[in-house]
Amino acid sequence: MLRFFLAKLLYLIPTFIGITIVAFGFVRVLPGDPVLLMAGERGITPERHAELSAQLGYDRPFLIQYLDFLGRLFHGDLGTSLVTKKPVLTEFLALFPATVELAVCAILIATLVGVPVGVLAAIKRGSLFDQISMTGALVGFSMPIFWWGLLLIIFFSGTLGWTPVSGRISLLYYFDNVTGFMLIDSLLSGQEGAFRSAASHLILPSIVLATIPLAVIARQTRSAMLEVMGEDYVRTARAKGLTQRRVVSVHALRNAMIPVITTIGLQVGVLMAGAILTETIFSWPGIGKWMIDSISRRDYPVVQSGLLMIAAIVMIVNLIVDLTYGLINPRIRHK
Amino acid sequence: MTDMTPERLSTWTIRRRMAAEFWFYFSQNRGAVAGLAVFALLVLTAVFAPLLAPHDPILQYRDALLVPPAWTADGSAEYLLGTDAVGRDILSRLIFGARYSLFIGIVVVSIALFGGILIGLLAGFFGSWIDAVLMRVMDVILAFPSLLLALVLVAVLGPGLTNAMIAIAIVYQPHFARLTRAAVMAEKNREYVVAAQVAGAGRARLMFKTILPNCLAPLIVQATLSFSSAVLDSAALGFLGMGAQPPAPEWGTMLAEAREFILRAWWVVTLPGLAILVSVLAINLMGDGLRDALDPKLKRS
């Protein structure tokens, strides 16, 4: 297992170096002067231009700049925001829990609904339930989630007035930031109604973010189950006289889950992309909104490091998924 | 190969039989046929947009702001689906928007397909370090969430439709490269390839004429999936202000402009999104049908 782990880790090193090159180089290798790009349409005086170039180190050779970037990276220095003048890492760490909270809720919804729906659809293949749920999954998979979010706001916040339109919690509540997760912090604060407020802010964004992963997981679970149900060991289990319930839950489901777990893991990248849109629509103060705001403010140190951090997170999660896969399925590990 | 059969069929007959077989399996899937019908309708709408649209899509009727659709109490028969905040006819904008979506899909898939096939063929055919380097580069692109990488690329290249299409194509291209490479690796030691090689076929001929046609099935399916993703992602970029720029009647851009009216005028928000959903759904339905019809493993079972 250790060898498997090390081999996977080694394999990631070139990819990680590639990611740093992309994140570092995206402003520099493409046509255009990064300082002019940052200045935008307002323009910039030659003096200020030279000053900024020197300050950002753009007047030095490309390779030196890159090595310097890597060196600072390994010391945990991700640069400073041009707009807020705060270290990028500090900003990232402050906003990251909001995105994690949203993403965890979304993946929970997607898994807890998607897997049972997929299993049921597979068992009752061709039934009305199968047809409706798989049509629903295809619609979910084709959904422009930014529009879906707006529709939910129109209906639940506008027409019914059940949920708030934006933010993480009502301004009426104020408490210490202990874990950074609003649901937990509001409970810890002991204030009446705080948890309710946090949950009602979270529900619509989580549903929106969960939509595409839910569709993918339901479809994947169904096809994995169908494949497994045709295997010899399932037939054997049936022949032994086991109940349908036991055959499905013990013999089929356990094996069908292997590809499904990979699928769930792969949704993390999808979630990060979805978070950009979801957070924008619901003004959710997380990493996605931060990236979009920084892109439109031309805050390149933030964009650069944010891109790097997000790619690194996706990579690490995929590594964990690979390792879990190796744990459940020894055949992979010994290949 | 055809000499093995008693009667020698002309290329034309073989093609026709293949097409007939394909259509037989494709038409088994009712969803796929429905998807194809909607897609055909979409293509017709895009082609004949100037004839179909009742109004100019960017003309502003200043005396008819936010008119609701014709079937509502305050609606007007003049504007069937209502008007937006500056008095443009929504139906006409949606009709012209079909052009954008199809154009974006075609351009993105063509660029990604061309680049991906070339890279995949090179990597799979030559192997060794060329393969290693190319595939690591593809891994790097795949490490980023696609929409995020596209956004950053567009931010650097400058917002706009052309740059959005280039960015999305770059982000999609590794999928085609990987598929082509895998197919080439599976095919290149097969007997027909060795036979062609012995017969004196050059490298380019082996790559493009001998191997490539036998790798097409997964690529076609991926191309359909990418087409729908391209429509979605370009609409998302438009929505975030990084794709087609106003006043272009692109569906995502229309949604972005409509955002502030969501609680006042439902039609400006609902309709463009519905257009995106229906188009993407139709293409995905077609993709499912294509996969069933082209995947020999499913066919036999």
Side-chain angles (χ1 to χ4, degrees):
Chain A
M1 189 65 205
L2 186 68
R3 272 190 63 172
F4 175 70
F5 174 73
L6 288 178
K8 285 278 170 200
L9 209 61
L10 259 172
Y11 186 77
L12 283 185
I13 293 174
T15 314
F16 183 74
I17 295 176
I19 289 171
T20 60
I21 294 176
V22 171
F24 167 79
F26 86 93
V27 204
R28 269 149 280 205
V29 290
L30 288 159
D33 175 349
V35 178
L36 277 184
L37 268 174
M38 278 175 221
E41 281 119 36
R42 284 165 292 150
I44 193 168
T45 61
E47 294 81 44
R48 179 78 184 126
H49 184 279
E51 191 190 331
L52 256 179
S53 293
Q55 186 193 330
L56 296 165
Y58 292 154
D59 50 355
R60 291 174 303 160
F62 189 77
L63 189 66
I64 304 283
Q65 283 186 50
Y66 174 65
L67 292 178
D68 185 49
F69 171 75
L70 270 191
R72 281 186 287 123
L73 188 67
F74 283 111
H75 289 97
D77 176 5
L78 292 174
T80 312
S81 160
L82 294 177
V83 177
T84 61
K85 311 289 179 209
K86 280 193 227 158
V88 174
L89 189 63
T90 315
E91 290 203 332
F92 181 87
L93 292 177
L95 297 170
F96 191 51
T99 300
V100 173
E101 185 172 42
L102 184 60
V104 167
C105 283
I107 207 75
L108 278 179
I109 295 175
T111 311
L112 293 180
V113 179
V115 171
V117 166
V119 170
L120 262 180
I123 297 173
K124 299 178 188 269
R125 183 183 190 178
S127 69
L128 191 65
F129 177 82
D130 182 23
Q131 287 178 8
I132 292 177
S133 59
M134 284 307 116
T135 311
L138 199 64
V139 172
F141 183 64
S142 311
M143 188 63 85
I145 61 167
F146 44 99
W147 174 68
W148 177 226
L150 294 178
L151 281 192
L152 291 179
I153 291 178
I154 292 180
F155 188 66
F156 288 103
S157 310
T159 313
L160 296 174
W162 286 359
T163 53
V165 178
S166 64
R168 289 183 77 188
I169 193 158
S170 159
L171 293 172
L172 294 172
Y173 304 100
Y174 184 80
F175 41 79
D176 287 334
N177 198 342
V178 186
T179 58
F181 302 110
M182 211 45 104
L183 283 181
I184 300 174
D185 285 354
S186 63
L187 273 182
L188 290 178
S189 76
Q191 290 177 47
E192 204 175 324
F195 179 77
R196 239 187 100 93
S197 171
S200 69
H201 279 80
L202 185 59
I203 183 79
L204 287 190
S206 328
I207 291 175
V208 169
L209 193 54
T211 304
I212 290 179
L214 169 58
V216 175
I217 290 172
R219 276 165 66 112
Q220 174 71 47
T221 306
R222 178 180 179 270
S223 69
M225 275 303 276
L226 282 180
E227 198 163 302
V228 168
M229 297 292 272
E231 293 282 346
D232 288 345
Y233 56 80
V234 170
R235 204 178 46 194
T236 309
R238 282 232 169 90
K240 281 198 303 188
L242 298 181
T243 57
Q244 165 84 351
R245 196 188 182 83
R246 197 169 159 79
V247 171
V248 169
S249 61
V250 178
H251 295 260
L253 189 59
R254 218 182 259 182
N255 288 292
M257 275 302 107
I258 296 172
V260 174
I261 288 173
T262 318
T263 309
I264 295 174
L266 290 177
Q267 295 308 305
V268 174
V270 177
L271 283 179
M272 291 313 281
I276 296 173
L277 293 164
T278 313
E279 291 180 4
T280 306
I281 297 164
F282 291 96
S283 306
W284 188 265
I287 299 300
K289 188 164 183 308
W290 179 59
M291 286 299 283
I292 268 289
D293 291 345
S294 305
I295 288 172
S296 56
R297 288 194 298 234
R298 298 169 185 275
D299 194 346
Y300 283 112
V302 172
V303 178
Q304 175 175 307
S305 301
L307 194 62
L308 183 69
M309 297 289 281
I310 292 174
I313 290 165
V314 173
M315 216 170 77
I316 291 168
V317 174
N318 286 347
L319 175 68
I320 295 172
V321 172
D322 267 359
L323 295 179
T324 329
Y325 202 83
L327 270 180
I328 333 175
N329 191 351
R331 271 175 300 182
I332 303 286
R333 185 161 86 217
H334 294 302
K335 232 182 192 173
Chain B
M1 270 182 291
T2 45
D3 289 330
M4 305 280 287
T5 53
E7 56 163 333
R8 194 187 167 103
L9 298 171
S10 68
T11 327
W12 168 245
T13 322
I14 294 174
R15 292 244 167 92
R16 217 185 49 211
R17 286 195 182 176
M18 279 169 73
E21 190 197 16
F22 167 78
W23 178 251
F24 173 77
Y25 285 107
F26 187 82
S27 58
Q28 300 270 298
N29 187 331
R30 270 179 302 157
V33 177
L36 183 66
V38 174
F39 186 71
L41 217 64
L42 203 68
V43 173
L44 290 177
T45 310
V47 171
F48 297 107
L51 297 175
L52 290 168
H55 298 276
D56 182 331
I58 52 173
L59 191 64
Q60 306 183 354
Y61 296 94
R62 284 298 178 164
D63 51 346
L65 305 182
L66 287 176
V67 174
W71 62 86
T72 57
D74 307 321
S76 145
E78 180 69 22
Y79 312 104
L80 280 179
L81 296 179
T83 61
D84 65 7
V86 290
R88 290 172 298 200
D89 179 49
I90 290 183
L91 178 61
S92 309
R93 289 178 69 71
L94 290 178
I95 290 173
F96 274 90
R99 290 190 152 185
Y100 279 86
S101 289
L102 289 180
F103 178 68
I104 291 165
I106 291 167
V107 172
V108 166
V109 170
S110 309
I111 300 176
L113 201 59
F114 180 77
I117 285 179
L118 206 62
I119 292 174
L121 276 176
L122 289 175
F125 194 79
F126 290 105
S128 77
W129 67 270
I130 299 180
D131 178 35
V133 170
L134 288 175
M135 285 303 120
R136 286 302 80 72
V137 174
M138 297 302 110
D139 282 350
V140 170
I141 299 178
L142 287 173
F144 295 95
S146 60
L147 183 67
L148 180 66
L149 190 57
L151 257 174
V152 171
L153 282 172
V154 174
V156 174
L157 296 168
L161 191 59
T162 315
N163 291 340
M165 290 191 294
I166 294 173
I168 298 174
I170 292 177
V171 175
Y172 287 179
Q173 165 271 345
H175 296 284
F176 294 101
R178 279 190 163 186
L179 276 177
T180 313
R181 172 179 174 269
V184 170
M185 305 260 273
E187 296 290 320
K188 78 172 171 186
N189 293 323
R190 299 275 287 272
E191 277 162 7
Y192 73 92
V193 180
V194 178
Q197 206 169 3
V198 172
R203 275 177 178 165
R205 190 183 170 83
L206 276 180
M207 277 199 281
F208 291 98
K209 283 223 89 143
T210 315
I211 297 182
L212 186 59
N214 292 294
C215 307
L216 281 182
L219 288 171
I220 293 172
V221 175
Q222 180 64 35
T224 329
L225 285 176
S226 297
F227 198 109
S228 64
S229 309
V231 173
L232 265 186
D233 279 353
S234 61
L237 287 179
F239 179 72
L240 293 169
M242 292 290 181
Q245 297 296 307
E250 196 270 325
W251 296 334
T253 313
M254 283 172 75
L255 268 175
E257 293 176 64
R259 251 188 90 186
E260 48 187 307
F261 303 102
I262 57 171
L263 296 180
R264 280 203 290 149
W266 57 267
W267 59 95
V268 289
V269 181
T270 329
L271 300 171
L274 201 60
I276 302 174
L277 175 62
V278 170
S279 320
V280 174
L281 187 59
I283 300 165
N284 281 339
L285 279 168
M286 258 170 41
D288 272 6
L290 277 177
R291 198 188 45 216
D292 293 353
L294 291 174
D295 189 338
K297 261 190 295 183
L298 284 170
K299 240 189 242 182
R300 305 284 172 261
S301 62

